[in-house]
Amino acid sequence: MIAVNPLDSASVLAAFGALGVLAVIFAESGLLVFGFFLPGDTLLFPAGVLCAGTAEQPARLALWQVLLCAAIGAVAGGQVGYLIGRHGGRALLARTSSRRVKGAASRAENLLARYGYGKALVIGRFVPLLRTVLHPVAGALGVPTRPFTLWQTVGGVLWSQALVLAGFTLGASVPAVDDYLLLLVAAVVVLSMLPLLVEARRTRRERRAEPEPEGHAEAEGSEGHAEAEGSEGDAEPGPRDEPQRRDQSGRHDR
């Protein structure tokens, strides 16, 4: 019996190959809570590296199989996540006690509101944690099925194929790249976290730039108005001109 650690990309690839890519990417693309802990970027990139053969060692995985399984897993997982969101996603998110899940759900909702369906579903694919909860949140918010299916397919294919091909290109051009695989995976993790850091920094800037609450502004306005009235009350009234009376013909009365 083979012991497989689903959180370890090397273990998954060694045990199941391309089918392991399909299963893990499917779960990571839409299964709430459980998908949070599975590798995504750190599975696709090494899988691409293992597809590159060298003169000393042949390819251990078939590139076309990995590309196909990665695309199917990403698209099918996103669609299942959307259906989960449509049928009880809000209740599931409300019951979870994980701060990471709730924080990612809030970011996913803000992303959809900021960029619209198309950009949000494509950009969200490249952000760890966010891509797991983005599709269920889209379903819970009632995003129409047709635009969701279109853009999540575009995002899923772009994300999965780009990472696999990047790993394949590096594996084919750098000799003995397997010796540096752990360092490469760490670099992929750091790069994939950059969008989260950029978004957090932007959120802090927006909060600092927010105007003061209306209640505070009204209070200051009322204080200024009261001071103005007080100063007007202390001033002596000036002389008033007598209105000139006119008769119906428009001439002054004598």
Side-chain angles (χ1 to χ4, degrees), residues 240-254:
R240 298 181 180 178
D241 297 333
E242 289 186 15
Q244 294 180 340
R245 292 180 301 171
R246 298 174 180 269
D247 59 10
Q248 294 181 354
S249 62
R251 294 174 297 178
H252 288 287
D253 294 338
R254 293 180 181 178

Side-chain angles (χ1 to χ4, degrees), residues 30-110:
L31 297 187
L32 276 172
V33 183
F34 179 69
F36 262 73
F37 304 99
L38 295 176
D41 301 332
T42 56
L43 177 68
L44 294 174
F45 189 83
V49 172
L50 295 178
C51 293
T54 61
E56 295 80 11
Q57 186 174 13
R60 279 159 284 182
L61 295 174
L63 179 62
W64 72 270
Q65 292 179 356
V66 173
L67 288 172
L68 181 62
C69 288
I72 292 174
V75 174
Q79 208 66 29
V80 170
Y82 175 78
L83 294 176
I84 291 174
R86 288 288 292 266
H87 303 284
R90 283 190 177 276
L92 184 60
L93 288 171
R95 286 198 300 269
T96 183
S97 59
S98 174
R99 293 183 179 179
R100 294 175 65 187
V101 175
K102 291 182 177 180
S106 177
R107 288 194 297 271
E109 191 169 350
N110 292 337

Side-chain angles (χ1 to χ4, degrees), residues 119-133:
K119 287 184 179 180
L121 291 169
V122 173
I123 294 172
R125 278 287 188 174
F126 293 85
V127 183
L129 306 181
L130 182 61
R131 62 173 161 262
T132 302
V133 76

Side-chain angles (χ1 to χ4, degrees), residues 19-37:
L19 291 179
V21 172
L22 190 154
V24 170
I25 296 304
F26 172 84
E28 201 242 2
S29 296
L31 297 187
L32 276 172
V33 183
F34 179 69
F36 262 73
F37 304 99

